[in-house]
Amino acid sequence: MTLRLGVPSKGRLMEKTFAWFGDRGVTLGLSGGSREYAGRVDGADGVELVLLAAGEIPRELAAGRIHLGVTGTDMVRERLALWDTRVSSIKTLGFGAADLVIAVPDFWVDVTTLDDLDQVARDFRQAHGHRLRIATKYHRLIREFLRDHGVADYQLVDSQGATEGTVKNLTAEAIADITSTGETLRANHLRILNDGLVLSSEATLYKTRAEVWDMSAQGHWTALQKKLGLV
């Protein structure tokens, strides 16, 4: 059995993943043009490159359809319940760093902490007859984070587009989203709560815990670890 390695299929994550492996003597690339989603691997025997959307990689790892995968910490922890029983984190790769945060409008001058948000959420429901809306793509992570911090009187609204614009567009009162510099939040007059850091994410190499590791795949993995300097 070949060792199946899943990497992001486009954008900076793909480019930086290719560069990270290339710097260690393993060349990843497309077998055709830039629009062709077939991959090739040079410098490591028995390794097959599988190009996937970054958000699909956690699912494919958990199912055992790929042995290894590169994706963000946020993707794994959002997409997989009990993630550490389904995949192992092998190494953070030093790129793709971003924070998942909760942010509120700048004009909420008295709202700086999660306790403040909890109070505002209670007041909001009494005043408006419905729960305060928080726009996000990260329902599992935000629900767990707010539960752990005692914030209860809210509703999550799904945002698959520009989450930062939902407050301005009056489809949410607050947001929870990924940010690397905070510039887009500031441009939309949003402010991160002082204790609103949910998760620090980074591109990471993961290994499946599914029962797909025959002797051949394990042998290829042992050789690849040595090539990449992971042992």
Side-chain angles (χ1 to χ4, degrees):
M1 177 186 289
T2 58
L3 183 73
R4 290 170 58 83
L5 167 64
V7 305
S9 59
K10 60 183 179 180
R12 289 179 61 82
L13 271 182
M14 182 184 77
E15 294 168 4
K16 287 184 174 292
T17 300
F18 282 14
W20 188 89
F21 278 85
D23 289 344
R24 290 154 180 82
V26 178
T27 302
L28 309 180
L30 304 177
S31 61
S34 61
R35 294 181 181 274
E36 185 173 337
Y37 285 87
R40 59 177 176 79
V41 180
D42 297 316
D45 293 334
V47 181
E48 176 185 354
L49 180 61
V50 182
L51 294 162
L52 298 162
E56 295 175 342
I57 289 174
R59 180 193 65 205
E60 297 300 292
L61 281 165
R65 288 187 285 268
I66 56 177
H67 297 88
L68 304 169
V70 174
T71 191
T73 316
D74 59 318
M75 291 293 179
V76 166
R77 299 194 186 190
E78 172 65 21
R79 301 298 175 92
L80 299 181
L82 302 174
W83 69 272
D84 53 349
T85 68
R86 306 172 74 183
V87 300
S88 300
S89 174
I90 301 301
K91 184 174 178 59
T92 55
L93 303 185
F95 57 86
D99 292 333
L100 177 59
V101 299
I102 296 177
V104 299
D106 273 336
F107 65 83
W108 288 12
V109 293
D110 295 327
V111 181
T112 60
T113 68
L114 290 165
D115 284 344
D116 296 335
L117 181 65
D118 184 45
Q119 182 61 55
V120 165
R122 290 197 299 268
D123 294 345
F124 184 91
R125 188 173 188 183
Q126 291 177 358
H128 298 280
H130 63 85
R131 290 185 172 131
L132 182 145
R133 299 164 298 176
I134 302 175
T136 189
K137 304 175 182 71
Y138 296 89
H139 290 242
R140 183 196 305 278
L141 285 169
I142 299 307
R143 191 177 296 111
E144 291 176 353
F145 180 78
L146 292 177
R147 179 197 64 206
D148 291 346
H149 288 81
V151 182
D153 219 354
Y154 68 91
Q155 63 175 317
L156 297 181
V157 293
D158 192 48
S159 171
Q160 296 301 323
T163 303
E164 298 90 345
T166 56
V167 173
K168 180 179 179 181
N169 294 332
L170 304 180
T171 56
E173 285 69 51
I175 74 160
D177 201 15
I178 206 84
T179 182
S180 54
T181 66
E183 289 182 9
T184 304
L185 294 175
R186 289 189 290 273
N188 285 275
H189 308 290
L190 297 169
R191 171 174 40 81
I192 301 169
L193 294 177
N194 293 345
D195 52 357
L197 174 62
V198 179
L199 175 72
S200 291
S201 181
E202 185 176 348
T204 302
L205 177 63
Y206 289 95
K207 174 185 174 185
T208 183
R209 291 184 180 271
E211 297 294 327
V212 293
W213 292 93
D214 62 13
M215 290 182 64
S216 176
Q218 187 60 55
H220 294 316
W221 170 227
T222 298
L224 182 61
Q225 286 183 91
K226 293 177 180 177
K227 183 82 173 182
L228 298 176
L230 299 177
V231 292

